[in-house]
Amino acid sequence: MIVTEEVGTVQREAWARGVLPPVESVRPGLWSIPVPMPRNPLRYVLIYALALPDGLALIDVGWDSEESWLALCDGIAQTGHHVTDVRYAAVTHLHPDHFGLAPRLREVSGAALAMHAADATLLGHRTPDDETADERTWEIQLDRLGAPAGVRAAARVDLVRFGPGEYIDVVLDDGAPLNLPGWDLRAVWTPGHTPGHLTFVDERHGLLFSGDHMLPRISPNISTIPGELDNPLHRYLLSLHATTTMPDGLVLPAHEYRFRGIADRAQQLMSHHEERFTEIVAALRDRPESTAWEISTNVSWSRPFDSMSDRLLRLAVRETHAHLLVLADRGHIRSLGGHPERWTLPITPTP
């Protein structure tokens, strides 16, 4: 039985209990479908199904695993449709929990895939030699950040990609309409989490599909990834600032639960990063000439730093690096260069 509810109380309770929420009818013609993410602390991604005159459109598609595929197909069945009824899938960004099932979905249903070109380009086909070179690039970057050898050696480029000669069907630029009958959705480019991250806004229905740009409880990881944005946190803060001007409505995120208060949540996220800037400057005051890795060990995280998996450690040090770049732009710290690169406070002029 599908739960019918607008604000995500049931989802929030399921998140607190560590269980998968049910498929929910958010409002007529709009459903929330949780799709599990095996071996991932986020546990599931929320896929949104929108009724069309001749089938369904999806926002995001889920992780590439058999368990996830079966959950997606079952969730679609609970809406009264079959996976072959999917006509269109708008992907918020390139990460595998959002794009992973896209190639399989397109093969089974013929659905048109839509996303921003900046992310789609990064999902182009790669040969084994290309992937080896990418992994080496990641390892070199982590070495420069001061990460230990064990963390560097575990680096992998974990993306589901298009096959040879394949590409997206619809390129969505900033402001582009999705042209879905019965809906008034348009794409809003919100780079930061990835270069081409998109949110989808329907002002007529008061909806914001936020992807990972804005979540109700946690801050999305903003990292310096080789080949992506040079200064991702700067771009993310600009995207958040733009989000504060959006008309208020129901936020439908890709993780956790639905909520209201678009501008308030954007301000909270900006404040979170300002607090992290302050914490990093204090860490450098105590330990000048530190690497990004050393700084990461001396700031707070949602879990103990030494308990994190290698994957989470890579995310943490790259997130710290993203903060260092913004602080350097502001003149609050400076790079000493070197390999690994070291950071310190600016030179104070002699009175």
Side-chain angles (χ1 to χ4, degrees), residues 65-246:
S65 75
E66 192 63 23
E67 178 186 357
S68 303
W69 175 254
L70 294 174
L72 177 64
C73 293
D74 178 68
I76 289 173
Q78 291 187 52
T79 74
H81 298 83
H82 190 270
V83 69
T84 56
D85 295 328
V86 179
R87 304 288 179 251
Y88 186 100
V91 180
T92 59
H93 63 291
L94 60 81
H95 289 155
D97 49 327
H98 301 261
F99 176 82
L101 287 171
R104 185 172 182 177
L105 176 68
R106 182 161 66 176
E107 180 181 0
V108 169
S109 69
L113 299 181
M115 63 190 304
H116 195 280
D119 274 12
T121 299
L122 294 168
L123 297 178
H125 176 65
R126 306 288 282 171
T127 68
D129 286 346
D130 292 333
E131 292 182 358
T132 298
D134 289 344
E135 290 171 12
R136 178 57 181 155
T137 300
W138 279 39
E139 187 175 352
I140 291 170
Q141 183 227 21
L142 290 164
D143 184 39
R144 186 165 183 260
L145 299 182
V151 174
R152 299 196 310 267
R156 290 187 57 82
V157 183
D158 185 23
L159 294 176
V160 176
R161 299 182 186 273
F162 289 106
E166 295 181 349
Y167 196 62
I168 54 172
D169 302 292
V170 181
V171 176
L172 293 173
D173 296 321
D174 186 37
L178 272 61
N179 297 320
L180 299 178
W183 303 92
D184 194 25
L185 281 163
R186 62 182 173 87
V188 178
W189 186 35
T190 48
H193 186 55
T194 67
H197 190 289
L198 292 172
T199 58
F200 301 107
V201 179
D202 186 328
E203 293 180 6
R204 180 161 60 92
H205 293 96
L207 302 171
L208 169 63
F209 297 89
S210 65
D212 283 359
H213 172 64
M214 183 188 301
L215 305 173
R217 189 185 62 89
I218 61 176
S219 173
N221 179 262
I222 311 296
S223 294
T224 52
I225 304 296
E228 296 189 14
L229 295 169
D230 291 335
N231 196 333
L233 184 54
H234 172 71
R235 299 299 297 274
Y236 180 63
L237 293 172
L238 290 176
S239 295
L240 280 176
H241 186 267
T243 304
T244 64
T245 68
M246 289 181 177

Side-chain angles (χ1 to χ4, degrees), residues 244-305:
T244 64
T245 68
M246 289 181 177
D248 201 16
L250 181 65
V251 184
L252 298 102
H255 302 287
E256 299 185 321
Y257 44 85
R258 299 185 297 281
F259 65 98
R260 287 189 175 274
I262 293 173
D264 286 347
R265 184 55 182 149
Q267 291 286 356
Q268 289 171 4
L269 287 165
M270 289 189 287
S271 296
H272 162 77
H273 288 288
E274 293 301 326
E275 291 167 3
R276 176 49 59 95
F277 291 140
T278 300
E279 192 176 14
I280 288 173
V281 169
L284 278 173
R285 186 176 295 113
D286 290 342
R287 298 175 179 84
E289 303 186 14
S290 291
T291 65
W293 176 267
E294 290 166 345
I295 296 165
S296 298
T297 67
N298 288 295
V299 295
S300 58
W301 300 97
S302 60
R303 66 195 71 195
F305 188 80

